[in-house]
């Protein structure tokens, strides 16, 4: 029974386990793990920690200048878009970064393959929705898209 562990501690422990497995035990963070995180009902200001979807300046400002990553590291981190989706209710952007909904839950290099396979064009230039990029392909109700930060 793990009811004594906060959700926050659980997610950190799970992330550490994934890092260990994905690195073939090269990065075992078990000894660095510290428990005691407290769950919060909300996370005011959490969006300010991520780069705005505006472009390269946002990626450089957050990942390179603030976090000290190299540009190569920043590009690798953007590859996390291979999983998940954009949701209009949270970011104003709607769609997935890869071919299908099924692929959007698989951790692989499809995000990078999609970037190079398509001729991306601006989307939402005259709308109230935030501007992003598409090639026009759809998967059901999920258009494929890239953010300005992805394109840079």
């Amino acid at each position: 029974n793990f009811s004594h562990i906060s959700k926050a501690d659980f997610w950190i422990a799970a992330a550490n386990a994934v890092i260990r497995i994905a690195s073939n035990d090269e990065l075992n963070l078990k000894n660095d793990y510290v428990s005691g995180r407290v769950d919060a009902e909300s996370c005011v200001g959490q969006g300010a920690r991520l780069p705005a979807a505006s472009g390269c300046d946002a990626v450089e400002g957050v990942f390179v200048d603030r976090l000290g990553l190299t540009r190569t590291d920043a590009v690798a981190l953007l590859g996390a878009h291979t999983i998940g989706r954009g949701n209009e209710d949270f970011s104003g952007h709607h769609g997935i970064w890869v071919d299908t909904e099924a692929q959007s839950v698989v951790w692989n290099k499809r995000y990078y393959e999609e970037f190079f396979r398509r001729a991306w064009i601006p989307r939402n230039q005259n709308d109230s929705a935030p501007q992003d990029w598409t090639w026009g392909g759809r998967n059901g109700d999920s258009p494929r898209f890239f953010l300005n930060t992805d394109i840079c």
Side-chain angles (χ1 to χ4, degrees):
N1 185 345
F2 294 100
S3 61
H4 63 284
I5 296 175
S6 68
K7 290 178 198 169
D9 277 343
F10 171 80
W11 283 111
I12 296 299
N16 287 344
V18 169
I19 290 169
R20 183 180 53 80
I21 291 167
S23 70
N24 293 319
D25 284 324
E26 294 292 320
L27 293 171
N28 188 343
L29 303 172
K30 184 177 181 180
N31 293 332
D32 297 321
Y33 176 79
V34 176
S35 65
R37 291 164 192 82
V38 178
D39 292 334
E41 292 298 317
S42 67
C43 191
V44 176
Q46 55 84 21
R49 295 186 307 222
L50 299 173
S54 57
C56 299
D57 290 344
V59 172
E60 186 172 12
V62 172
F63 293 143
V64 177
D65 297 342
R66 196 168 76 196
L67 294 176
L69 301 177
T70 66
R71 291 176 188 269
T72 301
D73 293 338
V75 169
L77 190 56
L78 286 171
H81 283 161
T82 201
I83 56 174
R85 62 179 307 106
N87 184 306
E88 290 173 295
D89 294 336
F90 297 108
S91 68
H93 299 276
H94 175 64
I96 55 177
W97 284 268
V98 295
D99 278 335
T100 67
E101 293 281 341
Q103 288 176 353
S104 73
V105 297
V106 177
W107 182 260
N108 58 25
K109 61 181 181 174
R110 193 65 183 192
Y111 164 84
Y112 299 108
E113 292 170 348
E114 283 294 303
F115 180 83
F116 286 107
R117 289 176 45 188
R118 311 287 182 195
W120 296 93
I121 57 173
R123 176 176 79 159
N124 303 331
Q125 288 186 302
N126 299 318
D127 295 349
S128 60
Q131 190 265 315
D132 53 30
W133 297 78
T134 187
W135 67 271
R138 297 187 68 80
N139 180 40
D141 292 332
S142 296
R144 280 175 255 174
F145 81 107
F146 270 65
L147 300 170
N148 291 329
T149 50
D150 297 311
I151 295 295
C152 83

